[in-house]
Amino acid sequence: MPIFGMAEHNLQIVATSVRYYSQLDERAFFEWLDRMPFVSGYNGVARDLFIALTRIPTYEDLWEIIGFCRRYGVDMKQLEKFVTDENRRWLPAEIARSLPTTNGSQPPNPANRNAKP
């Protein structure tokens, strides 16, 4: 069932080949997932862990996901689907690089900042 025009399968991220440095590190990984209120569950298949989200991430949710992804080396490019005009300015470049804005227009190109319209 679509949520805000986003298919349910898009409300997930995938952690692939996560490297744990100790048993406590692995435990911390799953405890962190369990503490995030917007994570409804996760399921491992081979080297992939599919992490289901309950909603489109809020401002606070995105920062939590970003911290989690950076700590465990989860590919943040998959968070591009959550970029909006409102969060584009503060999201890290590896997520919000030159994607089209939600209204279909391209963000300004810094190389053209002195160009006249």
Side-chain angles (χ1 to χ4, degrees):
M1 168 182 285
I3 299 175
F4 298 111
M6 184 176 285
E8 190 172 315
H9 71 277
N10 283 334
L11 285 175
Q12 76 175 6
I13 60 174
V14 181
T16 301
S17 300
V18 173
R19 175 178 289 172
Y20 308 110
Y21 295 96
S22 70
Q23 288 181 345
L24 289 175
D25 191 33
E26 182 176 6
R27 180 174 160 189
F29 174 90
F30 288 100
E31 286 176 351
W32 194 347
L33 280 175
D34 291 338
R35 286 191 315 264
M36 289 190 260
F38 54 90
V39 171
S40 61
Y42 41 85
N43 182 41
V45 178
R47 296 174 12 165
D48 295 330
L49 182 71
F50 296 88
I51 303 165
L53 308 180
T54 60
R55 62 181 180 247
I56 295 172
T58 65
Y59 174 87
E60 291 82 12
D61 298 345
L62 281 170
W63 277 116
E64 194 68 31
I65 294 170
I66 290 166
F68 178 82
C69 289
R70 282 194 172 151
R71 167 63 186 91
Y72 289 102
V74 176
D75 183 9
M76 285 199 293
K77 289 179 186 173
Q78 62 190 311
L79 301 179
E80 291 174 344
K81 60 189 163 197
F82 303 125
V83 173
T84 66
D85 290 337
E86 292 77 31
N87 65 22
R88 175 183 305 283
R89 290 185 189 107
W90 57 262
L91 282 170
E94 63 262 42
I95 299 169
R97 64 190 198 292
S98 59
L99 293 173
T101 59
T102 55
N103 66 7
S105 64
Q106 285 282 41
N109 182 342
N112 295 334
R113 85 177 93 162
N114 296 328
K116 298 190 188 223

